[in-house]
Amino acid sequence: AYPMGVTFHRAFDRCKDPFIALEELIEIGCERILTSGQKPSVVDGVDLVAELNKKADDGIIIMPGSGVRKENIKMLAEKTGCVEFHSSLRSKTKSLMQFVHPGFVDSEESYTNNAISAEEVRELRVSLKRN
């Protein structure tokens, strides 16, 4: 991918030894690792994320993800020492379509769209900056 930067995604969370994988990813030139600390939610994997960040020692960026929200981002920053975070802030909104096909009247999911609220993003950033 050179000269583009590479972030290694959460496949990292399924590796056998995260510290060996960390060294291998540094060696091949990845810029960061997106991780939840080998748990479904980064809140549950926060201790491993902190260990990885300490071990990375500026050789690679550790980016916590999976469950990063305004309610926990400050705690994650304080416990891990990480400075970059990933949050999808996923939500659903009702489609603005006016016509609903009769075959899909009972399928609410067919008429919803993925959405990201600008206000949620602002609140996440403000939460990180609070003392």
Side-chain angles (χ1 to χ4, degrees):
Y2 183 82
M4 296 186 300
V6 173
T7 298
F8 195 85
H9 64 76
R10 287 192 55 221
F12 179 85
D13 290 326
R14 275 72 171 176
C15 71
K16 188 173 185 177
D17 185 323
F19 296 100
I20 290 174
L22 172 74
E23 295 303 323
E24 290 173 343
L25 292 170
I26 291 170
E27 187 177 317
I28 64 172
C30 287
E31 290 184 355
R32 70 186 46 76
I33 300 170
L34 174 58
T35 181
S36 59
Q38 297 198 317
K39 300 287 184 180
S41 168
V42 71
V43 172
D44 297 326
V46 69
D47 292 334
L48 179 57
V49 172
E51 289 180 58
L52 290 165
N53 195 46
K54 186 175 181 179
K55 180 81 172 167
D57 193 34
D58 297 325
I60 195 167
I61 296 163
I62 302 299
M63 179 189 289
S66 188
V68 175
R69 298 288 182 264
K70 66 183 177 186
E71 296 82 12
N72 61 26
I73 193 167
K74 186 72 171 176
M75 175 276 294
L76 291 168
E78 290 170 353
K79 283 193 170 187
T80 65
C82 294
V83 296
E84 293 186 15
F85 298 87
H86 176 276
S87 182
S88 65
L89 297 175
R90 261 186 301 235
S91 64
K92 297 278 189 180
T93 60
K94 185 172 171 55
S95 171
L96 298 176
M97 290 179 61
Q98 295 177 357
F99 172 75
V100 176
H101 188 282
F104 291 89
V105 169
D106 294 328
S107 177
E108 185 176 328
E109 181 182 342
S110 296
Y111 292 94
T112 59
N113 299 312
N114 291 325
I116 298 173
S117 160
E119 183 57 31
E120 287 280 327
V121 174
R122 275 191 287 280
E123 289 176 9
L124 182 74
R125 294 182 74 206
V126 166
S127 294
L128 182 57
K129 292 178 181 180
R130 284 193 187 126
N131 292 331

